[in-house]
């Protein structure tokens, strides 16, 4: 109890609310919600992925109708939201761990929109497209939960990962 473990931050961006110094994730919105991460591996390649709901277009604080301070559903909003997977190169994270790069330097090298696989995306203003994520390395299966797709229960989507 109360014991700490030494650690190294591999990804650590400056909040765009605190600074505009360029130490942010490319194309970041305050409304982004990254709900899970996994380290995917195959026989010949690897990637670190994050899954979540990405805000696109304009970004504001208020509700789905626009900027406001005294309104229902107040929070960070964007013009549209999409379910997305973003991919990082593990070598970029290794460079941070070895001290040859800063934790704000790694950037996603590609992304994959996944809303076309989902059943409960009913609006461009819908938040929380995804929930948890898991990777079964032995069977090369990636599981992504679609948030509350079956009434009050998530729906599990499965992808086979290959080279």
């Amino acid at each position: 109890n109360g014991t700490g473990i030494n650690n190294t931050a591999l990804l650590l961006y400056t909040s765009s609310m605190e600074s505009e110094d360029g130490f942010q994730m490319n194309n970041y919105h305050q409304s982004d919600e990254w709900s899970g991460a996994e380290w995917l591996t195959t026989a010949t390649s690897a990637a670190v992925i994050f899954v979540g709901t990405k805000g696109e277009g304009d970004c504001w604080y208020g509700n789905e109708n626009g900027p406001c301070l005294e309104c229902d559903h107040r929070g960070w909003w964007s013009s549209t939201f999409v379910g997305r997977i973003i991919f990082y190169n593990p070598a970029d994270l290794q460079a941070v761990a070895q001290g040859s790069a800063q934790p704000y330097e790694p950037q996603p090298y590609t992304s994959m929109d996944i809303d076309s696989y989902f059943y409960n995306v009913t609006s461009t203003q819908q938040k929380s497209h995804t929930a948890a994520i898991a990777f079964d390395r032995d069977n090369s299966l990636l599981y992504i939960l679609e948030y509350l797709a079956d009434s009050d229960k998530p729906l599990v989507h499965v992808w086979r990962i290959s080279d």
Side-chain angles (χ1 to χ4, degrees):
N1 187 21
T3 302
I5 299 173
N6 291 336
N7 63 75
T8 300
L10 299 180
L11 286 174
L12 184 61
Y13 302 112
T14 303
S15 168
S16 59
M17 295 297 291
E18 297 171 9
S19 173
E20 303 232 354
D21 56 15
F23 299 155
Q24 291 96 28
M25 183 173 74
N26 293 341
N27 302 311
Y28 173 75
H29 274 207
Q30 292 288 349
S31 61
D32 292 355
E33 297 176 351
W34 301 106
S35 55
E38 279 292 342
W39 190 312
L40 306 182
T41 57
T42 66
T44 60
S45 58
V48 173
I49 66 167
F50 288 78
V51 66
T53 305
K54 172 77 180 102
E56 293 191 324
D58 293 331
C59 184
W60 65 87
Y61 186 82
N63 67 16
E64 62 273 18
N65 298 315
C68 60
L69 295 177
E70 302 297 325
C71 54
D72 292 335
H73 310 289
R74 193 173 60 222
W76 286 102
W77 289 84
S78 288
S79 302
T80 61
F81 293 96
V82 294
R84 182 169 290 167
I85 302 171
I86 56 174
F87 296 78
Y88 284 85
N89 185 337
D92 294 342
L93 305 180
Q94 181 181 14
V96 174
Q98 293 172 338
S100 60
Q102 296 298 316
Y104 54 80
E105 292 182 87
Q107 295 290 331
Y109 65 86
T110 195
S111 65
M112 177 180 162
D113 289 353
I114 55 178
D115 277 350
S116 63
Y117 301 102
F118 287 177
Y119 293 94
N120 194 38
V121 177
T122 59
S123 162
T124 59
Q125 285 288 291
Q126 180 178 328
K127 288 188 170 186
S128 302
H129 295 212
T130 65
I133 180 174
F135 181 53
D136 174 353
R137 189 166 275 105
D138 292 338
N139 296 298
S140 299
L141 298 175
L142 175 66
Y143 300 89
I144 298 176
L145 274 66
E146 180 180 356
Y147 185 74
L148 302 182
D150 183 13
S151 186
D152 62 345
K153 298 176 284 301
L155 181 63
V156 180
H157 297 270
V158 184
W159 282 265
R160 181 168 305 280
I161 306 301
S162 62
D163 288 322

